[in-house]
């Protein structure tokens, strides 16, 4: 496994299924990340008034405000617009991945996800995002 | 005359209604499949997740027996996931929703990927595992790379699963000017003559298949995919000496100019 500063990660998990929150949270905690959880889109948006996570892991199909709506809200708000968002979803049919990425998400993880590869997958998506940004933005991101 | 016109107009209207109903029914079926896929995967995420957490020691030490039982839970959950994927694949094919996306692809690269992915399994059973590519095959062909790869992987993993000693070989060759052939040959247990006719049907695998953890859907998918791409599948097998599965597909070579254009479009 690649060396990663998982201990510096602050992760916001958004999922309406408690078991799936627990599985993701346990994995992330085990590797040293700080984790916040929200079981609905609106709860996630409220939490984001107080925290600035490194990455948001967002379920798509949720009652009330779904993941698409949450994502629109995140990108429309200057406070949250630059936080990386990864869809973690059981929408795993052929075109779902393409749709998620086309809408501007930073990454896509299909459920059931592989617990053993979870940290690396998130890390790779975050690395790729930093690599893709212009140098001045990268510095800006570091000073945050 | 006027009566005939009225009848024609009426018939046209009825046709339009029938077509709209058929379209609506296809749309509902697709929606149902998407929802079902989602609803089945969500609880499986929890089952697979919790058992992986425990196996990785993230929930404390397990006794040897607990470890073994968790491994069985995980293996069965993964089997269930494979069934779900394959049932959905089949349903998509039946609902006419399977889309074949033909694009230029390099056969050599695809075969290399398949060999890498399956080598570990073959070596674990001590089997010789080799691929042979006909030098006459055009380096680039038109086809749905993902679907073709799915066919070959299904055949190759079957061959490995049902072969305990000897070899599994993959041969890709051009048949005539307009066809190419994928041939997967093994020295495995073979398929009894009375099962050979039904082996491509859903859940009709030979008795032995159940014992070896097959889903009974792999070959059904192979046949349906091959047909959807304008091809065919043949089986030659003898109990005790092995099986040969041959898939024949239409060959559309890509010349270099077209390829460059195709890449721009992607």
């Amino acid at each position: 496994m690649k060396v990663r500063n998982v201990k510096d990660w602050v992760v916001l998990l958004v999922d309406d299924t408690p078991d799936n929150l627990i599985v993701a949270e346990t994995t992330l905690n085990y590797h040293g990340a700080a984790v916040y959880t929200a079981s609905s889109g609106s709860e996630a948006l409220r939490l984001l008034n107080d925290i600035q996570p490194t990455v948001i892991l967002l379920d798509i199909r949720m009652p009330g405000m779904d993941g698409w709506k949450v994502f629109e809200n995140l990108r429309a708000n200057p406070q949250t617009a630059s936080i990386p968002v990864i869809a973690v979803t059981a929408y795993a049919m052929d075109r779902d991945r393409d749709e998620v990425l086309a809408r501007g998400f930073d990454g896509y993880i299909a459920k059931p996800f592989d617990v053993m590869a979870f940290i690396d997958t998130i890390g790779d998506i975050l690395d790729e995002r930093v690599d893709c940004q212009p140098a001045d933005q990268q510095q800006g991101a570091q000073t945050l | 005359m006027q009566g005939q016109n009225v009848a024609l107009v009426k018939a046209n209207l009825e046709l339009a209604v029938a077509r709209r109903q058929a379209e609506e029914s296809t749309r509902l079926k697709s929606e149902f499949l998407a929802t079902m896929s989602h609803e089945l995967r969500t609880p499986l995420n929890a089952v697979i997740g919790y058992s992986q957490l425990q196996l990785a020691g993230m929930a404390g030490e397990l006794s040897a027996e607990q470890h073994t039982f968790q491994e069985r839970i995980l293996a069965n959950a993964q089997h269930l996931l494979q069934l779900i994927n394959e049932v959905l694949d089949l349903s998509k094919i039946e609902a006419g929703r399977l889309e074949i996306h033909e694009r230029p692809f390099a056969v050599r690269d695809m075969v290399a990927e398949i060999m890498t992915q399956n080598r570990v399994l073959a070596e674990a059973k001590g089997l010789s595992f080799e691929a042979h590519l006909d030098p006459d095959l055009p380096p680039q062909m038109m086809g749905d790379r993902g679907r073709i790869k799915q066919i070959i992987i299904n055949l190759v993993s079957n061959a490995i699963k049902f072969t305990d000693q000897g070899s599994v070989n993959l041969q890709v060759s051009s048949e005539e000017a307009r066809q190419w052939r994928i041939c997967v040959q093994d020295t495995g247990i073979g398929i009894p003559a009375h099962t050979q006719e039904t082996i491509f049907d859903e859940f009709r695998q030979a008795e032995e298949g159940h014992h070896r953890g097959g889903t009974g859907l792999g070959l059904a998918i192979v046949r349906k995919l091959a047909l959807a791409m304008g091809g065919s599948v043949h089986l030659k097998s003898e109990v005790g000496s092995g099986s040969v599965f041959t898939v024949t597909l239409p060959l559309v070579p890509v010349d270099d100019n077209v390829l460059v254009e195709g890449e721009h479009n992607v």
Side-chain angles (χ1 to χ4, degrees):
Chain A
M1 196 188 273
K2 214 167 136 185
V3 181
R4 302 189 186 282
N5 298 325
V6 183
K7 290 185 173 60
D8 297 337
W9 290 0
V10 177
V11 184
L12 172 60
L13 299 173
V14 191
D15 199 313
D16 63 306
T17 310
D19 282 321
N20 290 335
L21 283 179
I22 295 171
V23 169
E25 186 180 13
T26 309
T27 310
L28 286 159
N29 276 335
Y30 183 80
H31 290 91
V35 178
Y36 292 88
T37 61
S39 49
S40 72
S42 48
E43 192 188 338
L45 295 181
R46 270 201 309 277
L47 253 173
L48 284 164
N49 290 324
D50 306 319
I51 61 168
Q52 182 78 20
T54 327
V55 59
I56 299 172
L57 303 186
L58 182 58
D59 185 22
I60 299 297
R61 189 181 167 111
M62 293 185 287
M65 189 188 290
D66 65 17
W68 304 126
K69 268 270 145 53
V70 175
F71 183 71
E72 278 170 28
N73 271 281
L74 292 173
R75 289 289 148 103
N77 178 353
Q79 289 271 294
T80 54
S82 63
I83 304 173
V85 183
I86 300 172
V88 181
T89 173
Y91 282 128
M93 296 185 56
D94 294 347
R95 280 194 244 148
D96 296 325
R97 180 194 191 90
D98 296 342
E99 186 179 0
V100 162
L101 297 178
R103 288 197 192 215
F105 281 72
D106 297 277
Y108 167 90
I109 297 175
K111 287 176 190 161
F113 57 77
D114 183 356
V115 164
M116 309 310 284
F118 198 51
I119 300 291
D120 265 349
T121 309
I122 298 169
D124 285 347
I125 293 168
L126 295 180
D127 287 351
E128 198 178 316
R129 190 174 195 264
V130 173
D131 290 345
C132 291
Q133 284 186 353
D136 55 330
Q137 274 189 35
Q138 274 186 37
Q139 293 212 322
Q142 276 164 10
T143 54
L144 268 180
Chain B
M1 187 70 183
Q2 213 180 4
Q4 274 181 352
N5 274 343
V6 171
L8 266 177
V9 169
K10 196 168 162 245
N12 268 335
L13 270 175
E14 279 166 3
L15 270 177
V17 169
R19 203 185 65 190
R20 223 169 302 142
Q21 280 171 347
E23 282 168 1
E24 175 67 3
S25 140
T26 305
R27 194 186 62 79
L28 286 175
K29 266 188 227 159
S30 302
E31 230 178 76
F32 174 75
L33 284 179
T35 308
M36 196 173 71
S37 161
H38 182 279
E39 294 310 298
L40 294 173
R41 280 166 190 281
T42 300
L44 257 189
N45 189 61
V47 176
I48 290 179
Y50 281 121
S51 83
Q52 282 189 317
L53 284 178
Q54 299 207 42
L55 284 169
M58 293 187 210
E61 284 296 303
L62 299 181
S63 72
E65 194 172 36
Q66 284 169 335
H67 198 270
T68 309
F69 287 1
Q70 282 301 333
E71 277 177 343
R72 296 318 304 151
I73 293 176
L74 183 59
N76 279 281
Q78 274 160 348
H79 180 77
L80 184 55
L81 176 62
Q82 196 190 343
L83 267 170
I84 292 169
N85 286 336
E86 293 182 347
V87 166
L88 286 167
D89 260 347
L90 274 174
S91 313
K92 267 187 276 177
I93 300 173
E94 312 256 300
R97 257 199 86 220
L98 179 83
E99 287 164 21
I100 303 292
H101 300 285
E102 297 207 330
R103 285 196 191 146
F105 75 101
V107 189
R108 185 169 293 275
D109 292 353
M110 181 188 67
V111 169
E113 277 172 35
I114 293 169
M115 296 304 288
T116 310
Q117 284 170 17
N118 288 279
R119 180 154 285 128
V120 185
L121 287 173
E123 279 173 1
K125 295 184 80 177
L127 303 174
S128 137
F129 180 47
E130 274 168 32
H132 183 262
L133 236 96
D134 180 353
D136 288 345
L137 265 181
Q140 300 273 346
M141 299 195 289
M142 287 298 285
D144 189 324
R145 186 186 201 273
R147 295 304 184 183
I148 295 170
K149 193 172 163 190
Q150 192 179 0
I151 288 181
I152 303 179
I153 284 181
N154 276 359
L155 292 178
V156 166
S157 59
N158 263 357
I160 296 174
K161 193 183 293 169
F162 294 106
T163 305
D164 297 323
Q165 52 185 340
S167 60
V168 170
N169 288 312
L170 167 62
Q171 247 186 56
V172 185
S173 53
S174 60
E175 164 118 321
E176 302 151 25
R178 313 221 127 266
Q179 286 192 324
W180 63 294
R181 199 166 56 179
I182 299 155
C183 200
V184 178
Q185 188 174 17
D186 67 56
T187 56
I189 59 171
I191 300 157
H194 67 274
T195 326
Q196 288 185 18
E197 275 180 29
T198 53
I199 196 119
F200 291 100
D201 296 347
E202 292 87 344
F203 298 116
R204 291 297 288 274
Q205 59 188 343
E207 187 62 27
E208 186 65 19
H210 291 284
H211 304 310
R212 300 198 183 213
T215 58
L217 292 173
L219 287 177
I221 290 174
V222 165
R223 183 175 61 179
K224 293 211 157 128
L225 285 177
L227 291 178
M229 292 190 279
S232 60
V233 193
H234 286 280
L235 162 64
K236 247 178 86 178
S237 184
E238 208 177 304
V239 172
S241 52
S243 307
V244 185
F245 284 89
T246 308
V247 175
T248 310
L249 293 172
L251 188 151
V252 185
V254 181
D255 69 51
D256 295 346
N257 299 329
V258 180
L259 179 62
V260 172
E261 207 173 275
E263 277 177 350
H264 280 298
N265 287 340
V266 167

